[in-house]
Amino acid sequence: MMSLMASEETRTTDMATRSTDPPPTTAAATAEADHDASSETHGTPTAEAGGTRAWATRLVVVGIVLAALNLRPAITSLGALLEEVRDGLGMSGSVAGLLTSVPPLCFAVFGVTAPRLARRFGPGAVVCAGMAAITAGLVIRPYVGGTAGFLAASTLALMGIAVSNVLMPVIVKRWFPDRVGSMTGLYSMALALGTSLAAAVTVPMTDALGGSWRAGLGVWAALAAAAVLPWLPLARDRRSAPARTAAPAADQRPAAPPLRITRSRTAWALAVFFGLQATAAYITMGWMAQIFRDAGVPAGTAGLLLAVTMVMGVPLAFVIPRLATRLPHQGPIVVVLGACGLAGYAGLYLAPAGGAWAWALLLGIANCSFPLALTMVGMRARTGAGVAQLSAFAQSTGYLISIPGPLLVGVLYQHSGGWGLPIALMAGLMVPQMAVGILAGRDRTVEDEAHR
């Protein structure tokens, strides 16, 4: 793992060296310089300032880990108890499908507001507010009563997840510019751990709390509340806010004109690939436990199977990006992941209970298209500005593409009375995912295509 982190950081450094863009003046660097200047003016000892910075850095690490742990339990805990929630609220299959479509909708709609909020209040303050929103949503939604209130409270929690999801990489970059790889790995592991933990323990924890699905969902608010605490002092730390001091004149070079990103076939292929893999991921998180339960698998075991699928992302999130950067074309990885997905869906259709653990492993491998998509975003653009623009386009467009999938699964499930048609839909979407993934994996850059 450490060798991979070192390799990733070395590659990042090499890319930055080859880039023709001037290095940006980060808010953290400017704020730290202001802090040091202020310390000298007031005669604050350097050792004391260094001790304060070290304490703040440790607090940021704790905050990052706790925040990452809370970015998925609101979704996967609901998937584990979806049948009980539907029965308790009198929710139809179509409405349940709508509920499973809310996460990507919130990520697409509210995620785009995160940069503007961060410029005004600072990333730390916005993440702190995001953790508070997750806490409030998880406390309210089990007890608000009625489907509409449940959806509204879920949306509040997902708003907090959306803005925090976008800003966590920003905080990592600003506080740990020389350790981006290792801190991103820590963040990714914590995110996968929170995802799988909620899937695995929600049902047994619900049983231990008296069998009430309301208590089983609401208990996750405690973890979110704990994540608020380290961000409270960081919300007032100006190093987590954008710099207000003008950069030196030597650094104020004319910015390159924005790419006409929509003219790039690679950008469109990557956006569609991102959207289809997100569709598969949210269908899995929202419905896979229910598929196993309907096949006769006990509720607790179904939650464990979902957890196995989610936890596969921990080791493969390190392996796949490293392998992808060593290949001139990422198409073979796309094909292997897609083949695992097709095999998993075939197993769910033919023998969902008999080979449940095998299907969970195969679908867990297939869901690792997410780190591959993020890796290809960094490889399909030459400059930092190009990567940022491509990332924004691919993710915003992709999340919009992913919205109808879980809803359509719910509609098909309700009207067909079984899982044959929904599973056929999931398998059918894997074919275009593989096709656009092969196109996105070609060795070319969006700058070349967008400027034609």
Side-chain angles (χ1 to χ4, degrees), residues 54-102:
W55 174 84
T57 300
R58 288 192 290 269
L59 193 62
V60 172
V61 173
V62 174
I64 288 173
V65 171
L66 286 176
L69 285 171
N70 282 280
L71 293 181
R72 293 298 180 270
I75 303 170
T76 52
S77 63
L78 177 59
L81 293 174
L82 188 57
E83 181 176 325
E84 287 79 4
V85 173
R86 287 179 57 195
D87 292 341
L89 298 177
M91 191 183 298
S92 67
S94 299
V95 175
L98 174 63
L99 186 61
T100 57
S101 295
V102 169

Side-chain angles (χ1 to χ4, degrees), residues 7 14 19 39 42 47 58 80 95 105 120 124 168 182 187 200 222 254 261 273 284 383 393 403 416-417 446:
S7 174
D14 293 342
S19 174
S39 297
H42 294 86
R58 288 192 290 269
V95 175
L105 175 62
R120 181 169 183 180
M168 291 305 295
S182 57
Y187 158 77
I261 199 74
F273 178 72
T284 298
T383 65
F393 175 75
I403 291 170
S416 67
V446 295

